[in-house]
Amino acid sequence: MGNRFQFKDRFAEGAQYIDGRLRPGTSGRSHTVVDPATGGEVLTYELAGTADVDEAVAAAKRAFSAWSAATPGERSDALHRLAAVLAERAEDFAYAESLQCGKPIKLSTEFDVPGTIDNTAFFAGAARHLQGQAAAEYSGDHTSYVRREAIGVVGSIAPWNYPLQMAAWKILPAIAAGNTIVLKPAELTPLTSLMFAQAAKDAGLPDGVINIVTGAGRDAGEHLVGHPDVVMTSFTGSTAVGKRVAEIATATVKRLHLELGGKAPFLVFDDADLEAAAHGAVAASLINTGQDCTAATRAYVQRPLHDAFVARVAELMETVRLGDPFEPDTDLGPLVSHAQRDRVAGFVERARAYATVVTGGEIPGGDLEEGAYYRPTLISGAAQDSEVVQSEIFGPVLVVLPFDSDDEGIALANDTPYGLAASAWSRDVYRAGRATRELKAGCVWVNDHIPIISEMPHGGYKASGFGKDMSAYSFEEYTQVKHVMYDNTAVAAKDWHRTIFGDR
């Protein structure tokens, strides 16, 4: 691994990647990437402006003709090469991801990077399976079949919590299907998106297929979404910003994919394995310092287990080790920024007026005081309609509430605007089965919470958005379905013509 300052040299040419090369932004404003563990500068770069977005879209549009005409096998081979390049550079990617996000190196090394490599390998295979309905003579006189075609230039916006994985989730299905893409990563965390695009070039993907513009959302992001040559927008981020993206995209009749906020319930029935549920709750609420839209945020525990669950979760949370993200035994790193830490702390401080902070709820001092750290926090006694239960905190905070009947537990779990993920904990297969049917979320785990796999879709219900990342279902987002119909009769004056003119 390098040192914390190598990126000043690596991106000296700029942090915009357009048509196969790095270049500076032209907005006239700069941004500094900060190491959230120390507050130190990692990279200062010129932000993208609207002119940079225009050039990136133009490059993608030029590249589209040849890339969309490549055979599925050719695109598949290119993605297999990309997976190999990513694997060779895995340590470098893990280091960069931990540096810009503050996530522990063991999470970057064992989750973010291998997950991205696996996604790349999956879409390399999936590129060969863009299938439509089999040909048949549905009318009797015609043969019909369905083509799946690339749709054009995709303009996507990725968030700061999983910059590498989210970049891959946007880029891979789009280009596997033959589209080209302009991706705007969060300006806080652009490093691994840029490195991913460079790796693609080194793997032999043509210039212009992948372009990265790093700029502010109100400038570069809104211009990208509204650009007349962008035919689809995929956005991952908050529900509030997602609404604005939808407004802009629908004004130009773009295809739209939104993966928005979450407030995942963790539903523990009274026959659950208490130890498994407690361990699962700590891991699921603290992953990525809680900055995960599928993280467990609301634990509903049936009353006979409630007190024991609270006590055991608090005990486990107090063993979690905060520290330097690059130390191998660090469990929890800082939040992505001091502003985000202060936002999380604000939720907890306001909750003290109506609930009990069982453990945590503190900004640590000592060696960690310069970073954006916050201790794992457990809250009990909050009302269902309270802020900490209804709003997305996006930090290492878990709220526990009791319930009595199964009906009540499921109703409480569904009682937020969100519906991205949920879990149910029970030894009873029928009880768990009911929960999987009735919980309104795009992913429901049973006796676990968080694992994802490339073969299965990720996406939400309700205010958590619509559309799917990962899996073969992604191609439904990134392809155009075309019905082709051939006449088989060779008859000039067809019988149906007489409904328009002439006599039978």
Side-chain angles (χ1 to χ4, degrees):
M1 295 184 189
N3 62 67
R4 275 181 156 95
F5 305 104
Q6 63 172 306
F7 294 95
K8 292 180 181 179
D9 295 329
R10 178 176 288 195
F11 296 111
E13 296 176 64
Q16 316 302 326
Y17 189 84
I18 300 172
D19 207 14
R21 69 179 184 89
L22 290 170
R23 41 166 284 181
T26 62
S27 70
R29 294 180 291 113
S30 63
H31 182 81
T32 298
V33 177
V34 173
D35 175 356
T38 66
E41 177 189 346
V42 175
L43 172 71
T44 297
Y45 65 92
E46 298 298 317
L47 288 163
T50 57
D52 303 302
V53 173
D54 289 342
E55 290 193 29
V57 172
K61 188 176 181 180
R62 288 192 300 270
F64 174 74
S65 178
W67 181 247
S68 61
T71 66
E74 290 168 337
R75 292 197 295 269
S76 175
D77 289 346
L79 290 177
H80 277 301
R81 294 194 302 270
L82 174 56
V85 172
L86 295 174
E88 290 169 1
R89 301 176 186 177
E91 188 175 294
D92 201 24
F93 273 96
Y95 173 81
E97 194 75 341
S98 287
L99 179 63
Q100 65 182 350
C101 299
K103 62 183 67 186
I105 193 66
K106 66 180 181 180
L107 182 64
S108 296
T109 301
E110 298 178 30
F111 180 68
D112 296 76
V113 174
T116 300
I117 296 168
D118 185 70
N119 262 267
T120 307
F122 171 82
F123 280 107
R128 291 179 177 266
H129 296 281
L130 285 173
Q131 297 175 343
Q133 194 168 5
E137 286 69 48
Y138 295 101
S139 76
D141 291 337
H142 306 81
T143 296
S144 288
Y145 69 91
V146 170
R147 290 176 54 86
R148 283 197 174 273
E149 298 179 348
I151 57 176
V153 177
V154 178
S156 293
I157 300 175
W160 48 256
N161 57 332
Y162 289 103
L164 176 60
Q165 289 205 77
M166 296 296 100
W169 287 14
K170 302 299 183 194
I171 292 169
L172 292 169
I175 66 172
N179 303 292
T180 55
I181 189 167
V182 179
L183 175 76
K184 192 199 88 66
E187 55 267 39
L188 288 173
T189 55
L191 302 180
T192 46
S193 298
L194 293 164
M195 292 165 61
F196 188 93
Q198 290 176 311
K201 181 181 177 72
D202 293 342
L205 273 77
D207 292 346
V209 171
I210 301 173
N211 305 273
I212 310 293
V213 289
T214 306
R218 289 189 178 276
D219 301 324
E222 292 198 2
H223 191 64
L224 177 62
V225 173
H227 199 288
D229 290 331
V230 169
V231 297
M232 174 182 171
T233 289
S234 177
F235 169 81
T236 297
S238 72
T239 298
V241 178
K243 291 177 180 178
R244 174 61 180 156
V245 169
E247 289 174 2
I248 299 169
T250 53
T252 50
V253 199
K254 293 187 192 327
R255 187 177 299 194
L256 183 61
H257 169 207
L258 298 174
E259 200 265 88
L260 306 177
K263 191 70 178 174
F266 188 99
L267 186 60
V268 182
F269 294 103
D270 58 13
D271 66 334
D273 182 325
L274 177 61
E275 194 67 9
H279 278 81
V282 173
S285 62
L286 300 184
I287 184 172
N288 201 33
T289 319
Q291 299 165 126
D292 185 313
C293 47
T294 64
T297 60
R298 300 177 290 137
Y300 295 98
V301 185
Q302 207 149 22
R303 206 169 293 275
L305 286 186
H306 176 271
D307 291 352
F309 178 88
V310 170
R312 186 58 176 140
V313 169
E315 182 179 36
L316 290 172
M317 278 188 171
E318 288 165 6
T319 70
V320 172
R321 298 163 296 188
L322 280 69
D324 183 342
F326 293 102
E327 291 296 327
D329 60 352
T330 292
D331 297 322
L332 196 74
L335 287 104
V336 74
S337 68
H338 289 78
Q340 179 65 13
R341 181 203 62 189
D342 293 345
R343 178 180 178 277
V344 171
F347 276 100
V348 177
E349 290 308 306
R350 291 189 295 274
R352 293 184 192 276
Y354 56 80
T356 300
V357 177
V358 180
T359 189
E362 298 172 346
I363 296 172
D367 293 342
L368 303 180
E369 64 183 356
E370 298 300 323
Y373 290 89
Y374 197 76
R375 293 199 183 281
T377 300
L378 181 66
I379 296 174
S380 68
Q384 175 68 11
D385 61 356
S386 62
E387 181 187 46
V388 290
V389 175
Q390 293 293 324
S391 298
E392 189 173 29
I393 299 173
F394 229 54
V397 179
L398 177 65
V399 185
V400 184
L401 299 90
F403 70 93
D404 292 304
S405 69
D406 290 15
D407 289 349
E408 181 190 16
I410 291 172
L412 290 170
N414 285 331
D415 182 30
T416 72
Y418 300 107
L420 187 58
S423 64
W425 298 73
S426 173
R427 291 186 175 98
D428 185 325
V429 64
Y430 298 105
R431 207 176 204 183
R434 178 193 175 188
T436 64
R437 293 189 299 274
E438 296 186 14
L439 288 170
K440 303 304 181 186
C443 176
V444 179
W445 294 280
V446 176
N447 295 326
D448 209 342
H449 191 119
I450 284 298
I452 55 174
I453 49 175
S454 297
E455 290 83 359
M456 289 290 111
H458 175 89
Y461 285 28
K462 303 189 292 185
S464 290
F466 48 82
K468 300 299 179 183
D469 289 311
M470 300 195 297
S471 81
Y473 291 96
S474 291
F475 285 127
E476 296 180 8
E477 312 295 330
Y478 293 98
T479 60
Q480 188 71 266
V481 174
K482 177 187 287 184
H483 170 215
V484 178
M485 183 181 249
Y486 283 93
D487 170 60
N488 294 329
T489 67
V491 173
K494 294 179 171 59
D495 191 49
W496 74 267
H497 294 173
R498 302 303 177 258
T499 64
I500 312 302
F501 72 99
D503 300 320
R504 289 188 184 277

